Amino acid sequence: MKRAKRNPLLARLAARLELSLEVRSQTAALPRPADLRRWSQAALQAGVKQAQVSILIVDADEGRQMNRDYRGKDYATNVLSFALNEGDPVPGLPLIGDLVLCAPVVEKEAAEQNKPLQAHYAHLLVHGMLHLQGFDHEQDDEAETMETLETVIMQRLGYPDPYQEEQF
């Protein structure tokens, strides 16, 4: 926030996002809160004037339970997104949603895909933030739009295309 105080543009961008973080994972390899904020802000689309987002980082058991309870899938997944009103804007309200990242799944995927852990966390947070804003990947055209947007955001953040075949 120190940089935002010196730069009016950064201050305005920071004011757009109210972010809360809760960590329930025992892993030591978590992103810094400042990085979570930077990645989340980068994913906010121009039409979003204000956002209130909660990030919860969980272990595998809780991630599995949440995925089973909310999606009917009995395994832990990397990121879950819960948007107020399913991502459709509610007039007069900010974008409101929750993101759940399962730390052991994120770590395992990063290792399997030969990606730096922080880059994978950044990608999953960007992916989840886009879901909160109504983007989806159920249909091929939706997936292409969302993946292209993710790639652009990740490159702006200084990371390579998360969908390229050859990783780092």
Side-chain angles (χ1 to χ4, degrees), residues 36-162:
L36 294 170
R37 172 171 288 286
R38 184 171 60 93
W39 301 333
S40 298
Q41 284 176 314
L44 284 178
Q45 299 301 288
V48 176
K49 302 298 182 215
Q50 278 193 301
Q52 296 174 353
V53 177
S54 297
I55 299 172
L56 175 62
I57 301 177
V58 300
D59 279 328
D61 289 341
E62 188 172 3
R64 179 179 181 178
Q65 180 180 346
M66 292 180 92
N67 200 28
R68 182 177 54 236
D69 292 351
Y70 295 104
R71 295 181 61 226
K73 298 182 179 191
D74 193 21
Y75 57 88
T77 190
N78 51 22
V79 63
L80 293 168
S81 304
F82 302 96
L84 177 70
N85 209 36
E86 296 299 317
D88 290 329
V90 178
L93 288 180
L95 170 72
I96 299 174
D98 301 313
L99 297 175
V100 179
L101 293 160
C102 184
V105 173
V106 176
E107 290 173 10
K108 181 180 179 218
E109 288 176 348
E112 289 172 350
Q113 297 170 24
N114 196 30
K115 293 180 180 179
L117 183 58
Q118 297 302 302
H120 196 46
Y121 265 113
H123 176 224
L124 293 173
L125 193 60
V126 166
H127 183 87
M129 287 292 293
L130 291 176
H131 274 308
L132 293 181
Q133 295 169 85
F135 289 90
D136 209 341
H137 46 78
E138 295 298 316
Q139 306 295 324
D140 287 345
D141 60 331
E142 294 173 336
E144 186 175 332
T145 298
M146 190 169 176
E147 289 175 11
T148 299
L149 191 50
E150 289 172 52
T151 297
V152 168
I153 294 167
M154 290 295 290
Q155 289 175 335
R156 284 184 190 149
L157 288 167
Y159 297 108
D161 180 350

